[in-house]
Amino acid sequence: MKKLNKQADIFKALSDKSRLRILKILQKKSLCVCEITDILQLAVSTVSNHLSILKEAGLIVDEKDKKWINYRINPNPENPEVASILVSLHLLLEDDEMVKKDRELIKTVDREELCSR
């Protein structure tokens, strides 16, 4: 039953459009909450909730960097199913217009400016 629950958590994490967008932008680079919030145009609390779900599923990890916590795709997932999904993720949604737009926005976000507001 534990394995089934873990699988359900993974699919739950992948079942939301905003979480998929987060995964796709984190494929390009590590980002802090302020940057993700700015790109997705969502409330900080909403983004934080999405990040918690993705982290709980093992899809992303966080690391402290001075005053920021950076989120990135999990480079070494323990769960083989998560590893497989993350490999497949590189092929998914590459031609989606929203994903392309988000990736362009990554180039313009400035954490120093965003996080000082």
Side-chain angles (χ1 to χ4, degrees), residues 16-29 31 35-42 93-109:
D16 182 88
K17 178 176 71 170
S18 294
R19 289 192 287 273
L20 288 173
R21 289 175 66 196
I22 290 169
L23 289 171
K24 292 305 286 183
I25 60 176
L26 292 180
Q27 280 183 311
K28 292 299 176 190
K29 69 183 261 187
L31 298 166
E35 292 168 314
I36 297 168
T37 299
D38 191 61
I39 292 167
L40 272 55
Q41 292 296 294
L42 295 173
L93 302 170
E94 287 300 308
D95 59 347
D96 182 81
E97 290 304 315
M98 182 65 74
V99 169
K100 289 178 183 178
K101 179 181 167 219
D102 290 345
R103 286 185 172 166
E104 285 301 310
L105 290 172
I106 291 171
K107 299 173 186 175
T108 62
V109 292

Side-chain angles (χ1 to χ4, degrees), residues 22-99:
I22 290 169
L23 289 171
K24 292 305 286 183
I25 60 176
L26 292 180
Q27 280 183 311
K28 292 299 176 190
K29 69 183 261 187
S30 297
L31 298 166
C32 70
V33 173
C34 295
E35 292 168 314
I36 297 168
T37 299
D38 191 61
I39 292 167
L40 272 55
Q41 292 296 294
L42 295 173
V44 173
S45 59
T46 302
V47 169
S48 293
N49 185 53
H50 286 314
L51 291 169
S52 293
I53 292 168
L54 291 169
K55 186 177 175 188
E56 180 66 29
L59 295 162
I60 65 170
V61 294
D62 61 12
E63 58 191 7
K64 185 114 170 97
D65 176 27
K66 299 175 190 149
K67 65 180 180 178
W68 291 286
I69 296 177
N70 292 318
Y71 293 87
R72 63 186 176 115
I73 297 292
N74 187 347
N76 301 307
E78 294 177 16
N79 183 324
E81 288 89 357
V82 170
S84 177
I85 288 167
L86 291 174
V87 168
S88 300
L89 185 65
H90 284 285
L91 303 172
L92 300 173
L93 302 170
E94 287 300 308
D95 59 347
D96 182 81
E97 290 304 315
M98 182 65 74
V99 169

